[in-house]
């Protein structure tokens, strides 16, 4: 059974998130999603997500094409997670292109094109303006 793993914050869940998860799921038979912790987000973006990690995990777990969900504590642990979950393929959006090529001896790495014209940051900006 081919296992696919992907990672993300998935804050203020939107169709761009659905699109990448759906395409990731089509690349194998079992989809595992690492949801970035609130602390990891704070360390990267200097702000906490709008939705906390347990709500973000609940949303992702409820999707029909997602089989397993866990909390991603650190970007550097990618290889450990890939080994732990026996993933054959790592899928990331192409905003991360090249950034995780270092795991390649352990699994295939595929960067999928992002859905244009939608992002959590943009949604937050629009909501603030109105
Ligand atoms: N995405 C997409 N199209 C969009 C917006 C997001 O395809 N319009 C994809 C991103 O490329 C990513 C996934 O959706 O693969 C989750 O996006 P984010 O929540 O922004 O995740 P990010 O904070 O980039 O992930 O190890 C990576 C970390 O978990 C961080």
């Amino acid at each position: 059974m081919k296992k696919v793993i992907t990672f993300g914050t998935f804050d203020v869940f939107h169709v761009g998130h659905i699109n990448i998860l759906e395409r990731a799921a089509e690349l194998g038979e079992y989809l595992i999603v690492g949801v970035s912790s609130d602390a990891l987000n704070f360390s990267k973006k200097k702000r906490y997500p709008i939705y906390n990690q347990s709500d973000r995990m609940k949303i992702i777990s409820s999707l029909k094409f997602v089989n397993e969900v866990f909390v991603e504590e650190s970007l550097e642990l990618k290889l450990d997670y890939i080994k732990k979950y026996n993933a054959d393929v790592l899928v990331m959006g192409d905003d991360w292109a090249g950034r995780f090529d270092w795991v390649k001896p352990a699994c295939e790495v595929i960067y999928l094109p992002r859905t244009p014209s939608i992002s959590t940051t943009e949604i937050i900006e629009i909501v603030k303006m109105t």
Side-chain angles (χ1 to χ4, degrees):
M1 182 171 68
K2 197 166 176 184
K3 288 186 167 184
V4 181
I5 194 166
T6 192
F7 296 84
T9 310
F10 305 104
D11 190 26
V12 188
F13 196 69
H14 60 68
V15 74
H17 297 142
I18 289 275
N19 288 340
I20 197 155
L21 292 171
E22 208 171 38
R23 283 176 296 161
E26 283 166 7
L27 294 170
E29 283 85 47
Y30 193 87
L31 180 62
I32 305 146
V33 184
V35 174
S36 316
S37 69
D38 292 338
L40 173 54
N41 268 270
F42 190 78
S43 74
K44 277 196 316 188
K45 303 178 187 168
K46 298 296 161 242
R47 69 164 180 84
Y48 285 104
I50 306 281
Y51 299 166
N52 67 40
Q53 72 190 50
S54 80
D55 288 354
R56 289 181 290 112
M57 297 263 295
K58 189 165 181 182
I59 291 168
I60 303 296
S61 319
S62 71
L63 300 172
K64 62 181 175 204
F65 40 79
V66 172
N67 301 100
E68 203 170 339
V69 176
F70 68 93
V71 178
E72 177 193 32
E73 304 280 1
S74 156
L75 296 182
E76 284 75 47
L77 290 175
K78 282 267 173 327
L79 193 55
D80 300 61
Y81 296 130
I82 287 165
K83 288 180 180 160
K84 180 173 176 196
Y85 292 95
N86 276 316
D88 303 289
V89 189
L90 167 65
V91 170
M92 297 294 298
D94 62 3
D95 45 326
W96 290 94
R99 296 272 301 277
F100 296 113
D101 286 355
W102 57 274
V103 304
K104 263 183 191 166
C107 80
E108 194 184 340
V109 181
I110 298 178
Y111 302 98
L112 294 176
R114 278 170 69 93
T115 302
S117 319
I118 188 157
S119 75
T120 299
T121 314
E122 246 175 88
I123 295 169
I124 295 170
E125 286 308 313
I126 292 165
V127 170
K128 268 188 196 161
M129 283 185 317
T130 51

